[in-house]
Amino acid sequence: MKGFIVFVVGTNRYALDIENVQRIIQATSLTEIPQVHQYIDGMISYEDDIIKVFNFRKLIGLKSFDEELKDLFASLKIAHESWVLALKDSLYNNVEFTKTLNPHACGLGKWIDSFTAFDDRVVSILNKLSDYHKRLHRTGATALEAQKRSHEAGVEVFENEIVGIFKYTMGFLDKFIDELDIVSSALQKFVIYEDEKISFALKVDAIEDIVHIDEDSMINSQHETKESEYLELDGVLELNDVLVNVIKKINLPN
């Protein structure tokens, strides 16, 4: 049996031999290094050493995590604008409302439930965003109930409450965008990698699993695959019907 750390970068999954992993830690702020390779984000203090941080997204040619978060937040804002417009249409024009009233079932609610923050400022913004978001869905249900009594009652709830709650909800979502550096650090991880006595931190989106498998179950390539001079692959694992690239070696750029 062989152990692997399975991590996620974008929509890609990779397995790293657990023997090469010293530790997994939360991503933290970095110290910049002048005139360094483009794949190196900076350096961090780890135990009694200073080690470089290797950005895996840059290595495989993906857009930055911050840019993906911006895209995510933009899509969440559009989805809730659509939610409010659908509710308005239902209340003003007697059209059936088909979107969810459950604040945990929409895209924003699922993201809030999955996000964990450690920075006090981000926690404060997250709590306010969560409160207003829940209030938005709850007041939407109240407006639809009021509409059953009279058309005017539903419209009144929309105009007097929902418009303002929606404004505050989107405002706190915008504040998250202002704190992207901290938010992305709260989500990403550093995998402390060691090979041939060289240690560095591998910056990845998330750790998905730790698995132990029989080496015979690995789908080996007929020859080693060299994605770049810095990344060598050694086959594929199939885990829960998902293909995972097995890393043979990672070479730190000079």
Side-chain angles (χ1 to χ4, degrees):
M1 299 291 281
K2 194 169 185 178
F4 292 94
I5 301 290
V6 179
F7 64 85
V8 179
V9 179
T11 58
N12 305 296
R13 286 167 172 77
Y14 292 87
L16 192 59
D17 191 330
I18 205 167
E19 295 293 326
N20 294 120
V21 178
Q22 290 186 13
R23 194 177 171 192
I24 298 167
I25 62 176
Q26 195 69 40
T28 60
S29 57
L30 307 175
T31 300
E32 292 185 4
I33 306 173
Q35 298 180 335
V36 73
H37 192 280
Q38 61 178 335
Y39 293 168
I40 304 298
D41 280 356
M43 59 187 179
I44 60 169
S45 175
Y46 174 69
E47 294 184 345
D48 296 325
D49 202 0
I50 301 297
I51 61 175
K52 293 179 179 178
V53 176
F54 193 174
N55 189 317
F56 205 89
R57 276 182 166 265
K58 292 179 180 178
L59 173 62
I60 62 174
L62 295 184
K63 68 169 64 175
S64 73
F65 195 67
D66 286 7
E67 288 175 332
E68 283 206 356
L69 281 179
K70 284 181 182 178
D71 292 344
L72 171 65
F73 290 147
S75 68
L76 292 176
K77 288 186 72 172
I78 290 170
H80 272 70
E81 288 167 0
S82 174
W83 187 92
V84 170
L85 288 174
L87 181 63
K88 181 178 181 180
D89 195 26
S90 177
L91 295 170
Y92 280 69
N93 302 314
N94 255 348
V95 176
E96 182 184 3
F97 184 71
T98 58
K99 297 184 181 292
T100 184
L101 294 170
N102 180 353
H104 301 286
C106 68
L108 179 57
K110 289 177 181 177
W111 184 84
I112 291 172
D113 290 343
S114 68
F115 180 71
T116 302
F118 302 96
D119 181 86
D120 289 343
R121 175 168 171 76
V122 173
V123 169
S124 176
I125 296 171
L126 179 67
N127 289 339
K128 290 174 182 176
L129 172 61
S130 179
D131 288 344
Y132 274 104
H133 176 250
K134 289 175 183 176
R135 195 184 305 178
L136 180 65
H137 282 261
R138 187 168 60 243
T139 309
T142 300
L144 291 170
E145 284 298 315
Q147 186 193 38
K148 294 176 182 178
R149 297 194 302 272
S150 73
H151 171 78
E152 291 76 13
V155 170
E156 183 178 357
V157 173
F158 183 88
E159 293 180 349
N160 294 341
E161 298 185 53
I162 289 173
V163 171
I165 295 170
F166 174 71
K167 179 181 177 181
Y168 278 108
T169 303
M170 295 299 100
F172 283 112
L173 191 53
D174 284 336
K175 287 187 177 182
F176 253 99
I177 297 173
D178 294 337
E179 303 290 344
L180 269 183
D181 286 347
I182 299 173
V183 173
S184 61
S185 291
L187 291 168
Q188 292 184 289
K189 297 288 188 291
F190 289 158
V191 178
I192 310 301
Y193 179 87
E194 182 180 42
D195 186 33
E196 298 176 355
K197 298 182 179 179
I198 298 174
S199 295
F200 55 90
L202 198 62
K203 190 176 185 180
V204 303
D205 291 0
I207 304 300
E208 185 168 273
D209 206 353
I210 300 175
V211 298
H212 292 84
I213 66 160
D214 190 325
E215 289 189 65
D216 292 339
S217 65
M218 188 167 71
I219 306 169
N220 292 304
S221 303
Q222 292 183 349
H223 51 81
E224 294 174 6
T225 303
K226 201 163 186 177
E227 293 288 290
S228 74
E229 60 183 303
Y230 308 113
L231 177 62
E232 298 177 36
L233 301 180
D234 193 28
V236 175
L237 293 175
E238 187 172 343
L239 301 174
N240 300 319
D241 298 324
V242 175
L243 294 180
V244 180
N245 296 297
V246 179
I247 294 173
K248 181 178 181 180
K249 188 174 182 180
I250 301 172
N251 302 305
L252 185 68
N254 294 324

